[in-house]
Amino acid sequence: MSACGVGCILRDGVATIARSWRDGLYRGLAAATFALPAACGASPDQLPTTIHLVDQVGSDRTTITDSPTPSAPARALWRFDVPDEAAAWQDGGGLDGLAVREGRLGGRSRQGTGFVHAEWPDDGLRTDRLYAVEIEIRVSQGTTLEVGFRSQGALDLDGVREDDAWALSTPLLSGDELRTYEILTEDARPSSAIHRVFVRPSDEAGAEFEIASVRLVFDREHLAETPSGVAWRGQANIYRETLVAKAPETVRFPLVIPDRSWLDLSLGTMTPTPTTFRVTAESDTDEIELFTHTITTPDRWEPVKVDLASIAGRQLTLALTVESAEPAAIGLWGAPVIRRRGPETDVPQGVIVVMADTLRPDHMGLYGHNRETTPALAARAAEGVRFDDALAQATWTKTSTPSILTSLYPLAHGVLDVPDRLPSAAVTLAEVYRAAGYATVSFSSVSFTGADTNLHQGFEELHEATSRTGAKRSKSAREYVDRLLEWLDRRDHAPFFAFLHVFDPHSPFEPRPPYDTWWADPEERTAHQDRMADVRLEIESRLLRGQVMPTRAQIEAAGVDVDQFMDHRQAWYDGSIRGMDAELGRLFEWLEARDLSDHVIVAVLSDHGEEFLEHGESWHGHTVYGEQTRIPLLLWGPGRIPSGRVVTQTVRSIDLMPTLLELSGLVVPGGVQGQSLLPLMRGPGTGTDADASQWVVRAAVAEEHTRDAAGVEDAHASVALVLDGWRLIHNEQREPDEPEFELYGHAADPMNQTDLATEHPEVVERLGIELDRWRRRTAAGRLPSDEESTGTLSSEELERLRGLGYLR
């Protein structure tokens, strides 16, 4: 790689960067892009198409000046050597000998469930979000320290005691030493939602404890105490790679400004005090003011575009300044990127991946369903490629989505349970596109596809599920398509990658009007809701009871007609699919109206299916049968993807990432476990060199793992291998009456109703050998944990990764 780094040889540099990422090295592109474009000595036409300013913070050439003295009075702090503060804390039950002794609140946990609590008399005038809870405590024994919250309302200590999912927890280091624990939040809890605080010192009976202090640290305090720099910051739960600065700071970047470029960014503040953002260009001889904008509304992003045509080709310093009458007021420069309007190329300008949650292909008209649920998608499939036998690698969102975005099996990426996060050593699809100069955005409809899973890696902007507004928020396609169109409109011919996760097919199944009555009898709605209430009483699991996901036996035990119940449920499910299709149709119309159809690739798939009693149960994530693992997969891109082609070979969701990167002319990172679908898509007679003979037949595998924290009693683990027209299921952890192996004809029995294992033991044996080989190969590609991969990183690199939330 030349001294110009990835900025000067974008596409050739991706492979090198990807290898560094896979080896667990610094992932912020710093090693490549810290050799700033000013050092390249290139003409404007040779300069990079994209310069991420956040990637350049921390280099020797970038400076931050006029930093104010940190000052952040604590909003919520209790020290137990202060009598008034100590008196605020009360015994919640389950404790013995609670008292303040020598400035510490001490006692003994009687049952491992005891806790203390206090009311927080917040003035309610300052909107802010909780960043962390700091507790200075000594605990003699136990494994977990927990913190909970309640908003305004009656104090229900029994409800707190019975709550098995406290808001925050951290492992304890028991012993005689007083320790300070900083427990970071994950839900951006607003200060208005905190009226009472609960602390459970230990989860073991007989544990002795002493608490010296408790502090709630809010965002503004945290930022005021932290040096300015790069962070993952949100406004109204829309997050961006952000340069955080405090008035009157100026951040300076020495650059050569590319021709035909502009500064693309969003601005935000945390207080209503007027805050002014200035962008100037400084040289030895002059200073040019490029942009001035004042914000008075906190907690929202204001997108702006700063034209750089007047300084194109010049070597100068770009200066970003925050000004405010409030000392150290925080200004947020959201995803500041210099983008260049480049000429059209042979690669697509944009790539959009639509992941429709819980979407079964057999409920889509284009896959043969008797209801016309997907007319817009059917039109796209007629102009693109439809895959008739696509297999998801997992059957719930938390585990399946990382496989789609990394081309790794779950066993390799390690996201198997609710608390799991994608290791920072992973290379995501978004990261490769970002490195190649694409603007990147993600729309997440559930926390599983957001930063909680570390799936914001590589995205400049992420709309978390909590950012959705209005009624029927579970039906997210309408609002998110609106936002995506606004985002695309601001890209101004820049390349882009968008991940659009829509939730409409997921429960609760009742769609928004008018789709709620397209196939469901409106006069039956009240009766069906009554039936749901009766069935709910029979469901033992708290999670499944809340979603009204019964077994056949539970429906019958409620005295409800099974067919009547399921017919109305599936009519609603189909209506939700039809509503989603209409919103996606608006996206396709917009692309055509903007003459982008010939320059964009769109992929549509699901993360998993849904069981409608095919094996006696409802919901997903609990088996690897066909109704949960078979997913739709469509690719559309006029002029780039063949029209009207149907692929019948078995493919996998992990095959999407290498396919899109090959279509985009980008190098596929080493270590991916999928393969490009182009040989199957193009095939003989399509005017290309690739054909189906170049396709390597590989086993397709779906995984189901035990999940201790999933909210259900889940002691089951299975894996399904599809190969040579068979589906072998190995029930690794099973019920006593459940077979270890099941065998099904994959095409003839797509819902796996007839087990042929005893009739074909030779097939079970042969596929069992293949399954063992798959396990060994997949485990060999396991990502290193963050603890394993960060040992070689410098303190600056670690600070950056933690700031972006890639490490916690």
Side-chain angles (χ1 to χ4, degrees):
M1 184 177 289
S2 74
C4 295
V6 73
C8 293
I9 51 172
L10 274 173
R11 299 191 183 282
D12 294 336
V14 171
T16 300
I17 294 167
R19 283 195 294 272
S20 296
W21 277 332
R22 289 289 291 120
D23 292 338
L25 299 178
Y26 184 31
R27 350 178 16 96
L29 298 179
T33 60
F34 278 6
L36 294 181
C40 293
S43 69
D45 284 338
Q46 295 174 309
L47 291 173
T49 59
T50 303
I51 302 172
H52 290 86
L53 297 186
V54 297
D55 290 345
Q56 311 207 19
V57 174
S59 73
D60 293 338
R61 298 170 61 85
T62 300
T63 60
I64 302 177
T65 60
D66 300 321
S67 298
T69 302
S71 176
R75 288 185 66 187
L77 172 63
W78 295 269
R79 294 197 57 86
F80 292 95
D81 56 1
V82 179
D84 289 345
E85 295 177 8
W89 288 82
Q90 306 294 320
D91 186 349
L95 302 174
D96 291 326
L98 186 69
V100 176
R101 304 177 185 89
E102 299 181 356
R104 298 179 184 177
L105 179 66
R108 178 191 296 269
S109 178
R110 188 165 58 245
Q111 299 172 332
T113 59
F115 60 89
V116 294
H117 65 98
E119 182 176 327
W120 180 44
D122 183 29
D123 55 26
L125 299 179
R126 288 186 291 170
T127 301
D128 209 344
R129 297 187 181 276
L130 186 66
Y131 170 76
V133 177
E134 291 181 359
I135 301 178
E136 193 177 6
I137 189 172
R138 178 191 68 81
V139 183
S140 65
Q141 62 191 54
T143 62
T144 307
L145 168 66
E146 294 179 287
V147 180
F149 307 99
R150 291 291 188 274
S151 57
Q152 293 280 358
L155 177 59
D156 179 10
L157 294 178
D158 289 337
V160 175
R161 189 173 299 106
E162 295 170 2
D163 191 348
D164 56 5
W166 281 43
L168 301 175
S169 65
T170 189
L172 272 173
L173 295 174
S174 57
D176 298 328
E177 184 178 348
L178 193 68
R179 300 179 184 273
T180 299
Y181 297 85
E182 182 185 59
I183 315 174
L184 301 181
T185 63
E186 297 181 357
D187 60 358
R189 184 183 300 267
S191 57
S192 58
I194 301 174
H195 183 64
R196 292 185 176 88
V197 185
F198 304 83
V199 175
R200 180 175 285 161
S202 176
D203 56 352
E204 280 194 22
E208 296 180 349
F209 64 90
E210 290 181 336
I211 306 175
S213 66
V214 177
R215 180 187 176 189
L216 309 184
V217 183
F218 291 91
D219 265 347
R220 293 186 213 171
E221 299 167 53
H222 165 67
L223 292 176
E225 295 173 349
T226 305
S228 296
V230 176
W232 184 250
R233 299 302 310 173
Q235 298 275 269
N237 293 310
I238 299 172
Y239 287 78
R240 287 178 166 87
E241 296 176 334
T242 300
L243 174 56
V244 180
K246 309 179 187 73
E249 285 180 332
T250 296
V251 188
R252 291 181 169 86
F253 304 89
L255 299 166
V256 175
I257 304 300
D259 192 21
R260 305 185 303 277
S261 65
W262 79 99
L263 177 61
D264 180 18
L265 77 163
S266 294
L267 305 174
T269 65
M270 304 184 72
T271 69
T273 304
T275 303
T276 299
F277 296 78
R278 298 189 189 278
V279 179
T280 57
E282 302 172 348
S283 70
D284 293 338
T285 59
D286 61 350
E287 179 175 306
I288 303 171
E289 185 166 307
L290 301 171
F291 172 82
T292 301
H293 185 71
T294 299
I295 292 180
T296 60
T297 302
D299 201 31
R300 77 175 185 190
W301 292 108
E302 296 190 17
V304 298
K305 181 186 295 186
V306 182
D307 186 55
L308 303 178
S310 63
I311 55 174
R314 296 184 59 182
Q315 182 168 330
L316 41 72
T317 296
L318 198 66
L320 278 55
T321 303
V322 176
E323 300 173 352
S324 177
E326 178 182 327
I330 295 167
L332 305 177
W333 301 88
V337 181
I338 296 176
R339 304 194 192 278
R340 189 183 187 195
R341 303 172 183 87
E344 290 188 8
T345 63
D346 292 335
V347 298
Q349 177 187 336
V351 177
I352 301 172
V353 173
V354 180
M355 190 181 81
D357 207 297
T358 322
L359 178 59
R360 283 176 53 154
D362 60 344
H363 280 257
M364 302 171 67
L366 67 96
Y367 279 95
H369 191 39
N370 58 7
R371 289 170 175 162
E372 193 179 9
T373 54
T374 51
L377 289 175
R380 302 289 81 75
E383 298 175 350
V385 177
R386 186 187 83 205
F387 295 86
D388 276 3
D389 192 23
L391 189 83
Q393 272 52 83
T395 57
W396 66 306
T397 307
K398 176 83 177 186
T399 299
S400 182
T401 310
S403 288
I404 294 169
L405 294 180
T406 65
S407 189
L408 295 174
Y409 276 105
L411 193 61
H413 64 60
V415 181
L416 308 178
D417 203 349
V418 172
D420 294 338
R421 286 168 48 83
L422 185 70
S424 60
V427 182
T428 68
L429 184 58
E431 284 177 300
V432 180
Y433 276 117
R434 182 188 182 280
Y438 288 63
T440 56
V441 66
S442 175
F443 298 88
S444 168
S445 287
V446 67
S447 63
F448 290 164
T449 57
D452 280 356
T453 310
N454 212 19
L455 290 182
H456 62 307
Q457 288 190 181
F459 287 111
E460 298 165 348
E461 179 178 332
L462 166 65
H463 296 237
E464 288 278 17
T466 47
S467 72
R468 289 175 292 164
T469 61
K472 284 285 182 187
R473 284 189 289 174
S474 64
K475 309 304 176 185
S476 62
R478 179 175 296 177
E479 181 172 6
Y480 274 175
V481 167
D482 283 345
R483 294 193 199 180
L484 175 58
L485 298 185
E486 292 175 0
W487 184 86
L488 291 172
D489 213 25
R490 296 195 299 269
R491 298 288 67 82
D492 197 11
H493 302 291
F496 62 84
F497 169 68
F499 179 69
L500 178 63
H501 174 208
V502 295
F503 211 60
D504 299 50
H506 196 284
S507 63
F509 295 125
E510 184 177 13
R512 64 171 79 243
Y515 313 106
D516 56 340
T517 59
W518 275 35
W519 293 292
D521 184 350
E523 296 182 1
E524 277 288 302
R525 181 177 186 272
T526 300
H528 182 69
Q529 289 178 322
D530 291 341
R531 292 190 287 268
M532 289 174 62
D534 293 339
V535 168
R536 181 183 281 111
L537 298 175
E538 300 294 330
I539 302 174
E540 298 177 1
S541 163
R542 178 182 299 181
L543 171 65
L544 299 183
R545 188 187 314 127
Q547 296 286 337
V548 195
M549 290 292 162
T551 64
R552 179 182 295 273
Q554 289 166 345
I555 299 174
E556 292 172 344
V560 171
D561 183 273
V562 174
D563 291 338
Q564 189 178 36
F565 183 85
M566 295 306 297
D567 286 348
H568 200 97
R569 164 159 286 192
Q570 293 185 66
W572 273 355
Y573 177 72
D574 289 348
S576 290
I577 295 173
R578 182 63 179 85
M580 174 201 71
D581 182 84
E583 305 305 332
L584 295 180
R586 293 196 300 117
L587 169 61
F588 300 133
E589 288 176 358
W590 189 93
L591 294 173
E592 292 170 355
R594 299 301 194 281
D595 293 326
L596 278 173
S597 295
D598 293 341
H599 306 283
V600 172
I601 292 173
V602 179
V604 180
L605 78 166
S606 181
D607 50 351
H608 56 77
E610 181 82 342
E611 181 176 347
F612 290 123
L613 303 186
E614 284 83 3
H615 289 86
E617 298 185 56
S618 303
W619 198 234
H620 49 263
H622 56 278
T623 75
V624 286
Y625 293 124
E627 63 271 16
Q628 295 195 44
T629 61
R630 186 180 175 221
I631 59 172
L633 177 58
L634 310 171
L635 283 169
W636 175 74
R640 304 177 188 279
I641 291 176
S643 177
R645 186 166 178 80
V646 176
V647 175
T648 59
Q649 289 93 332
T650 302
V651 301
R652 307 160 299 177
S653 61
I654 57 173
D655 296 330
L656 181 62
M657 176 176 175
T659 303
L660 294 176
L661 293 179
E662 185 173 351
L663 284 167
S664 302
L666 299 175
V667 177
V668 178
V672 301
Q673 294 171 336
Q675 63 176 322
S676 172
L677 298 168
L678 262 63
L680 295 180
M681 293 165 53
R682 290 172 174 167
T686 58
T688 68
D689 294 332
D691 61 48
S693 66
Q694 296 175 283
W695 173 254
V696 179
V697 176
R698 297 175 180 171
V701 177
E703 305 174 41
E704 176 223 350
H705 297 268
T706 58
R707 304 192 303 276
D708 294 335
V712 294
E713 294 182 4
D714 186 358
H716 195 272
S718 296
V719 61
L721 179 141
V722 175
L723 186 66
D724 298 338
W726 296 98
R727 176 187 292 249
L728 177 71
I729 295 178
H730 184 199
N731 296 307
E732 300 168 313
Q733 297 187 42
R734 56 194 178 275
E735 300 296 332
D737 59 347
E738 191 175 11
E740 181 177 1
F741 291 99
E742 303 171 56
L743 182 69
Y744 300 93
H746 180 60
D749 186 10
M751 296 302 166
N752 311 148
Q753 297 295 299
T754 305
D755 185 0
L756 303 175
T758 57
E759 298 179 28
H760 297 281
E762 75 288 354
V763 177
V764 173
E765 181 179 6
R766 176 169 60 85
L767 295 184
I769 294 172
E770 290 294 332
L771 188 55
D772 288 339
R773 289 174 180 165
W774 170 85
R775 287 191 179 101
R776 289 194 298 271
R777 288 195 304 267
T778 304
R782 182 188 68 85
L783 292 175
S785 68
D786 287 340
E787 290 76 12
E788 294 169 325
S789 65
T790 57
T792 61
L793 300 182
S794 68
S795 59
E796 292 79 9
E797 292 165 348
L798 287 170
E799 181 180 351
R800 175 190 170 82
L801 295 183
R802 290 194 178 101
L804 288 173
Y806 293 0
L807 290 176
R808 289 187 180 177

